[in-house]
Amino acid sequence: MVIKKKIQGKAPTTVDMIYTLSTFYVDRSDVAEFVRINEEEIWPQLGTVPLGLWSVIMGGPNRLLMLCRYDSLQHWQTTCDWYADADSGVAAGRTNVIDAAEVTGLRPLTRRRPTDQAPESQPGIYTMRTFKVAAENLRRFVEVSEEGWWPWVEAGQGLRPLAQWISIVAPETRVYMMARYDDMAHWEATRQVGPKPEDPELIPVWETAREAIAERGSLIIDTNVCVLRPISQRRP
């Protein structure tokens, strides 16, 4: 089987929105207050509710990550102007509990893009994986992920991929990918394609995924992952 004949999807070519991934370094004793200020005071005033807020529990230094969606970089700038306003006492209150912060600008690559609240009743865990991929292989990398690998992991393994992005304002150009799992045991159990399913309808999906993940691996220069615990009621 030649997987390139099976996967016909195309990555988006127009930029109709951007995402930001903000990193905050906050003392453990101040995390609850940081979340409260955002949920109860800042987000309602801004009118732009972030998609999610997480604590990194494995795969790097202790820090908080916040994913937001904007119509454009200019839209993002308007929120920055609000934070910079000297009269914004609420924003100043959040600043007081932040040791350091940084923001990465992301452009969506996949047709799938998180916009709504998570369908699961339980928070689960999330992963943020990043990849270094050669520019000439980027489109193919997205295709084998979204069209070849994701249908199997959703139907056969029960995890939920959110999207893939590429960094456009960052120290390094990398592909970012988020996914949601029930818990750490679920994440551990889905590191491989897994055995051939008994359901005959899932067999071709599994076969495509097996070849997709092998091809995707050949396109990766390097990769890393961190595990995230949701700390806000907002979850994508």
Side-chain angles (χ1 to χ4, degrees):
M1 172 167 44
V2 179
I3 194 169
K4 291 185 178 181
K5 293 182 180 179
K6 293 178 69 70
I7 300 175
Q8 301 297 329
K10 298 293 185 182
T13 56
T14 59
V15 180
D16 56 354
M17 65 181 71
I18 66 108
Y19 290 73
T20 60
L21 184 66
S22 300
T23 303
F24 302 97
Y25 295 89
V26 178
D27 188 89
R28 288 180 182 272
S29 62
D30 293 324
V31 169
E33 178 64 5
F34 177 86
V35 174
R36 187 200 67 78
I37 291 174
N38 278 286
E39 289 186 331
E40 298 179 8
E41 301 181 29
I42 292 182
W43 295 349
Q45 288 196 40
L46 281 177
T48 55
V49 180
L51 296 172
L53 181 60
W54 298 267
S55 173
V56 175
I57 60 174
M58 183 178 290
N62 293 328
R63 61 199 188 278
L64 307 183
L65 300 182
M66 184 166 66
L67 182 69
C68 303
R69 181 175 64 90
Y70 298 92
D71 296 334
S72 63
L73 286 172
Q74 181 58 40
H75 182 201
W76 169 78
Q77 182 63 50
T78 62
T79 67
C80 294
D81 293 342
W82 183 86
Y83 282 117
D85 189 339
D87 295 330
S88 178
V90 174
R94 192 182 79 166
T95 301
N96 290 337
V97 300
I98 297 173
D99 294 329
E102 56 189 72
V103 183
T104 297
L106 305 173
R107 175 172 63 85
L109 292 171
T110 48
R111 294 188 302 275
R112 179 181 308 198
R113 302 172 186 184
T115 56
D116 300 320
Q117 178 73 356
E120 300 88 3
S121 59
Q122 297 300 313
I125 64 163
Y126 290 70
T127 59
M128 174 64 82
R129 184 178 292 275
T130 71
F131 307 88
K132 184 175 182 180
V133 179
E136 63 270 21
N137 294 327
L138 181 60
R139 179 177 293 276
R140 185 61 186 163
F141 180 86
V142 175
E143 289 174 351
V144 296
S145 294
E146 188 170 27
E147 302 297 329
W149 179 240
W150 291 2
W152 162 248
V153 298
E154 285 190 303
Q157 297 185 328
L159 65 96
R160 181 166 58 86
L162 273 69
Q164 285 184 348
W165 302 265
I166 188 167
S167 54
I168 56 172
V169 185
E172 182 183 11
T173 300
R174 295 183 71 88
V175 175
Y176 288 68
M177 182 177 73
M178 289 194 77
R180 189 263 180 200
Y181 301 80
D182 293 337
D183 48 36
M184 289 295 287
H186 186 198
W187 178 72
E188 285 185 290
T190 55
R191 297 304 81 229
Q192 304 296 327
V193 181
K196 186 176 181 179
E198 296 182 1
D199 186 344
E201 293 186 1
L202 285 179
I203 291 175
V205 182
W206 174 82
E207 290 175 339
T208 298
R210 185 175 56 175
E211 296 201 10
I213 199 64
E215 181 180 353
R216 194 178 77 170
S218 70
L219 304 175
I220 297 171
I221 299 171
D222 68 64
T223 183
N224 57 60
V225 64
C226 59
V227 180
L228 315 174
R229 177 177 63 85
I231 57 175
S232 168
Q233 297 181 32
R234 283 292 306 172
R235 304 187 307 273

